[in-house]
Structure formats: structure tokens, C-alpha cells
Amino acid sequence: MNCPRCNAKITFTKTQCFNCGQDLSGYRKIISISNSCYNKGLEQAKIRDLSGAISSLRKSLEFNKRNTDARNLLGLIYFEVGEIVSALSEWVISKHFQGENNDADRYIGMIQSNPNRLEMYSQTIKKYNAALFSAQHGDGDMAVIQLKKVVNLNPKFIRANQLLALLYMMTGKKDNKVRAKKLLVNVSKVDVTNTITIRYLKELSDVHIKGETVEKAAPAAVRKEPEARKIVPPAEIPDAYKTITPYKEEKPSVLPFINVIVGVVIGMALMGFLIIPHIQAKKSDKDNQDFKNYSEQMAENDSDVSMLRNENKNLTEELEELKKQNEELKGKGSEGGATFQESYDFLVEAVQYYLDNDKVNAAKSLEKVNEEAISAEKTKALYTKIKEDTYEEASNSFFLKGRDAYNGEGEYAGNKDYDKAITFLERSLKYNQDNADAMYFLGRCYQQKSEPEKAKEYYNTILENYSDSSRVSEAQKRLRELGE
């Protein structure tokens, strides 16, 4: 380990630094706690308790921010659950603390080496944010469409899966609840202890997915077979044996023939008055129903055609947007600015200079970043913080160079260079537009170059906008020299 005061290499068993005499007993205890939390997080990650692992690794970094093993593992877990921006942030910080022999280089290179994968991650973040905005403003259908695309691009993006499941649950439909449970079951395999996933699954405990084993109901009581009916013996039937009537041939009669003819006539009459109208009515109903079904089918086809046209229009617009974004990533950034990947590289370079306490070079690198290409909130916050901490010092640095060039001092000793001074002083104002000293010397440069109008412009700006500046009296004096 390294001494916290002088950064000298010392063995872990030492209780005092041999270089500066620093007591290391408390520091050793802090390092031990950090390592214990890292080991706990590693064990939790092995059994896919990713939520618990994130908590343990964060605690490890609270005790020792230079624990690059813990930081790299935390980045890997963020990457596994779909939090790409958080993962990259951890790896960049790890790379700063350990510049050589660091696995973070390989992880960052893995993402940067594949432009298609980088584009996919960018689209995932944008679509998730758009879906979240739609859901917050009551447009659940649009949110579901966007989240389906997000889940297709990155099936392990836990937050997207949870939000899509929640939107399905809010519809109250059984089919959507089944879809929600399938999503939650899948992400529960990624992070087995995620409390949100567990709570949603508890809400869907009454929903069963096809293939799940369902507890069988208790078997119904066996129905008792009815007793066989007793057959009464012939002897017990009254008059069981009757006298057989002898055969007697009947005389032929025309009555049966007449009855048949009458029956046929009555049958035909019934068919004419009752059956045939019923058949015709039934056929008419069938024809009407067929026509109704045909009309509904035509209306449905028209609706489908209209829907397909709208969907084709939306897909065309989305394709144009993707082409535009693809051109920006290939090198045409928005309005001529840096591309997403170039801006990311410049930002990483600025972070490296900033952590090395080289604020001037950090500001120069940060100036090349295209702010419009930055979409993630954490990345924007990092950009803003470094800008606030470096721009003022960079402005002062360029002011001093401009003043030396004006006075012929420093590296310009004996050789006044007003044009070079103007270049430096304008750079100073670019980093800090309120630098009254830079404005004053710009006025002096233009006065020396016999350009009084430009000189007056800078002097008047000091008098009008910076009345509390120490340069006010000098600006007034120079204006009097110029005849104002």
C-alpha cells in the first residue's frame, strides 16, 4: 500500500511510514475494511445478488476511493444491469488512479472499439429517457412502444424492464399481466435480490405463466355408484302369463290409403306455410350476416391500411433521424461540432488533466467538447463541474501571457508583440468574459495599434458593466487621451 501523506510504497504490515513517519495503524484498519467490503461484494456478485454487491462495493469505495479492483467490479455490475454511463464513469476514475496494468483500459476499449455497440447504447439511453418522459406525462402507449425497443436492444436493462412491466400491470388486462410477469422473471435472473422486481412479482402472484406448475386442487369425493335396480321376477308380476289370442286375418280397407294421402297433403301444406318461409328467412339472415361480416372486414382492412401508413410514416421519420445521428457519429457532429465519440474522448482527456491538477490543459480539452453531444445527466454534471473549476484559471493564464506580450516581458522580453497579445487576451475573455483586466489590455493593444474605435469599445465596456473594477480609473484616463 502507499502512505496517505507522502505516497511512498510500504508493506501492509508496517505501522509507521519509513519515509515521513506517518502513523499507519488507523489507515491499515480503513484499508482492511475496504478490502472486506470488496470481498463481500465479489461473493454477492458471484451468486447474482447484484443489488447487494453494488451496496457493498460503494461502501468499499467510501473507505478507500483508490481501490481500483472494487471500482472496476462496480463498473462491471453497472454494465451487467444496463447502466452503461455509470459503468464508464467508474472505469474512467479507476484509470486515473491506476494508469498501468488496469483492467479498466480493456473494458473501455471493448466499448469504444465497436461503433455499432456504442450507437446501440446511445439509442438505448435516449429511448429509455423518452419512454420515461411519456410515462410521466400520461402517454403510456408511446412509453410501451419505446420500452419494447429498449428491451430488444438491451434485454438486461433492469430499469427498462421494470418500467415496462409496471405499465403492463397498470392496464389491468390479464394478457398484459402475463407479459409483465415474464419480463420480471427474466430480470430476476439477472439480479435475484432487486427489491422492486420482488415487489412487482408479489403483486403478480396470482398470475400464472404457461408451463408453470400450479398447485392442484384436492380431488373431489368419489361418487357412490347407484345400486343396481332390482329386476322383479316374472312370478311376482300380476298376470304374467296371459292367454294368447288366436290369429285372425283382417279385411282389406281403403282408409289407410286415404289417411296416407291426407297426411302427405297436410305435410306439404305445413312445408309451404311454415318450413319454407323459415328456410328462406334463415338464408336471408345468413346473407345479411355475410354482408355485415364483409363490411366489417373491409372497415378493418381500411383501418389496418391507415394504421400501416401512419406506422410507415413514423418509421420513415425515425429512419431519417437515425441516418442523421449516424452521420453525426461518423464525423459530422451537430452544426460542425465534435461527434459523440470525439466529445467523449476530449472529456476523458480533460478529466485526466483535471485530476493531475493541470487546469489550463483541462480547460483546453474541455473547450473541444461538443456539449450538445452529451446526453447523460452524470456526464453533463461532470462536464459542468470541470468547466467551473478550470475556466477561470485558464483565463488568468492567458491574460498573463497577453500582458507579457504587450509589455515585452517574460518570453517576449525586449520584443513587444501587440498582435500576439491580442490573441492571448481574446482567449482569456473566451474562458472568462468578465475578466476586466483582459478587456483593459485589449483596449491598450488597439490604442497602440492606432485603432481607437476598438480601444474605446473595450474601455466603455469596463465603465458601463464593471464599475467596481480597479481598472475603471485607468479606462477613464485612456478615454480622455482618445478625446472622450
Side-chain angles (χ1 to χ4, degrees):
M1 67 180 181
N2 294 337
C3 174
R5 175 183 288 179
C6 65
N7 203 33
K9 278 279 186 181
I10 49 177
T11 58
F12 188 76
T13 56
K14 297 292 183 181
T15 58
Q16 189 174 11
C17 177
F18 66 87
N19 187 36
C20 64
Q22 172 71 29
D23 182 19
L24 301 175
S25 56
Y27 183 63
R28 284 176 55 197
K29 186 177 292 185
I30 291 173
I31 296 298
S32 297
I33 295 173
S34 175
N35 291 337
S36 298
C37 292
Y38 164 70
N39 291 332
K40 181 180 178 182
L42 181 60
E43 293 300 322
Q44 290 170 320
K46 286 180 179 178
I47 60 173
R48 286 211 165 267
D49 177 9
L50 301 187
S51 296
I54 288 173
S55 177
S56 298
L57 293 170
R58 282 179 175 171
K59 187 174 292 185
S60 173
L61 293 174
E62 286 177 5
F63 283 101
N64 180 16
K65 66 179 181 181
R66 296 178 179 273
N67 192 339
T68 54
D69 290 333
R71 199 174 291 279
N72 289 342
L73 180 57
L74 181 59
L76 286 174
I77 295 174
Y78 279 140
F79 185 83
E80 177 69 9
V81 299
E83 303 290 344
I84 308 301
V85 175
S86 298
L88 286 171
S89 299
E90 296 299 334
W91 292 334
V92 168
I93 297 172
S94 172
K95 187 177 176 182
H96 162 69
F97 286 128
Q98 184 180 335
E100 298 179 357
N101 299 324
N102 192 338
D103 291 335
D105 288 326
R106 179 163 54 89
Y107 301 149
I108 296 173
M110 176 184 66
I111 295 177
Q112 291 181 329
S113 62
N114 191 336
N116 293 331
R117 182 182 298 173
L118 189 64
E119 168 66 14
M120 186 262 292
Y121 292 147
S122 177
Q123 289 300 318
T124 300
I125 295 168
K126 290 180 180 178
K127 290 182 185 296
Y128 173 77
N129 291 335
L132 184 60
F133 179 83
S134 298
Q136 289 172 341
H137 290 78
D139 192 357
D141 294 338
M142 182 58 68
V144 169
I145 293 172
Q146 294 288 348
L147 288 170
K148 283 181 178 179
K149 296 178 182 178
V150 173
V151 171
N152 286 334
L153 290 172
N154 191 355
K156 292 185 178 181
F157 194 174
I158 289 182
R159 282 198 293 171
N161 281 276
Q162 290 172 341
L163 181 55
L164 180 56
L166 178 61
L167 292 173
Y168 278 146
M169 292 164 62
M170 289 173 65
T171 62
K173 296 180 180 180
K174 184 177 179 181
D175 292 344
N176 285 342
K177 286 185 177 181
V178 172
R179 294 189 183 101
K181 188 165 185 179
K182 287 181 179 178
L183 289 171
L184 294 171
V185 168
N186 289 336
V187 297
S188 67
K189 296 175 183 177
V190 179
D191 184 1
V192 297
T193 60
N194 189 286
T195 54
I196 296 177
T197 302
I198 294 171
R199 185 165 73 247
Y200 288 174
L201 284 173
K202 186 176 181 181
E203 292 292 330
L204 297 173
S205 58
D206 58 334
V207 177
H208 300 291
I209 304 174
K210 186 176 180 181
E212 281 187 334
T213 56
V214 183
E215 189 175 338
K216 294 183 178 180
V222 180
R223 195 178 72 170
K224 187 175 181 181
E225 292 292 336
E227 294 183 358
R229 187 172 58 181
K230 293 182 179 179
I231 301 175
V232 182
E236 298 179 1
I237 302 176
D239 299 327
Y241 297 101
K242 293 183 180 181
T243 304
I244 301 174
T245 304
Y247 170 74
K248 183 179 179 181
E249 186 175 353
E250 296 182 356
K251 295 180 180 181
S253 174
V254 294
L255 288 177
F257 180 72
I258 295 173
N259 290 335
V260 170
I261 293 175
V262 172
V264 170
V265 172
I266 293 173
M268 293 180 68
L270 288 173
M271 183 179 292
F273 287 104
L274 298 177
I275 298 175
I276 291 178
H278 176 71
I279 292 173
Q280 291 177 343
K282 188 174 181 181
K283 183 180 179 182
S284 178
D285 290 341
K286 184 176 182 301
D287 291 340
N288 291 335
Q289 184 63 37
D290 290 342
F291 180 74
K292 182 180 178 181
N293 292 338
Y294 174 76
S295 300
E296 291 177 352
Q297 184 66 34
M298 289 296 294
E300 185 176 349
N301 289 340
D302 291 340
S303 176
D304 290 342
V305 169
S306 177
M307 186 181 300
L308 288 173
R309 284 176 180 169
N310 291 333
E311 186 174 353
N312 182 50
K313 180 181 178 182
N314 293 335
L315 289 174
T316 303
E317 292 175 354
E318 186 173 349
L319 178 61
E320 292 300 323
E321 180 65 21
L322 289 174
K323 286 181 178 178
K324 181 179 177 182
Q325 293 175 1
N326 185 44
E327 289 178 356
E328 291 179 0
L329 287 175
K330 284 181 179 178
K332 295 183 181 178
S334 59
E335 297 184 0
T339 64
F340 175 84
Q341 187 168 353
E342 290 172 345
S343 295
Y344 170 77
D345 291 336
F346 288 138
L347 182 58
V348 170
E349 185 179 68
V351 171
Q352 185 68 46
Y353 281 128
Y354 177 73
L355 294 173
D356 291 338
N357 203 26
D358 187 353
K359 295 185 178 181
V360 175
N361 282 324
K364 289 180 181 178
S365 298
L366 206 64
E367 184 184 358
K368 301 174 186 176
V369 175
N370 183 2
E371 191 172 357
E372 294 180 3
I374 302 174
S375 58
E377 293 298 328
K378 288 187 177 180
T379 309
K380 281 187 176 180
L382 181 63
Y383 171 84
T384 303
K385 181 179 184 337
I386 298 176
K387 184 176 180 180
E388 291 173 352
D389 290 349
T390 59
Y391 268 37
E392 185 172 356
E393 185 166 329
S395 175
N396 291 333
S397 175
F398 280 108
F399 163 70
L400 293 176
K401 289 182 179 181
R403 188 182 63 182
D404 287 346
Y406 172 81
N407 291 324
E409 298 176 350
E411 61 180 295
Y412 300 96
N415 183 21
K416 295 182 179 182
D417 190 341
Y418 298 127
D419 291 328
K420 197 69 175 178
I422 289 173
T423 301
F424 286 132
L425 293 169
E426 286 178 345
R427 287 290 299 275
S428 175
L429 284 179
K430 187 172 184 180
Y431 288 114
N432 181 9
Q433 60 183 2
D434 296 325
N435 193 332
D437 292 333
M439 293 180 195
Y440 174 74
F441 273 93
L442 274 169
R444 294 287 293 139
C445 288
Y446 283 119
Q447 187 175 355
Q448 293 297 331
K449 290 184 68 178
S450 299
E451 296 183 33
E453 295 303 322
K454 290 186 178 181
K456 289 177 183 180
E457 182 180 344
Y458 284 106
Y459 294 147
N460 285 321
T461 301
I462 295 173
L463 296 179
E464 292 171 3
N465 300 330
Y466 304 96
S467 57
D468 56 346
S469 171
S470 61
R471 297 290 182 178
V472 170
S473 60
E474 296 179 32
Q476 291 173 338
K477 177 182 176 182
R478 300 305 173 187
L479 284 171
R480 286 195 295 270
E481 292 176 359
L482 294 171
E484 279 200 12

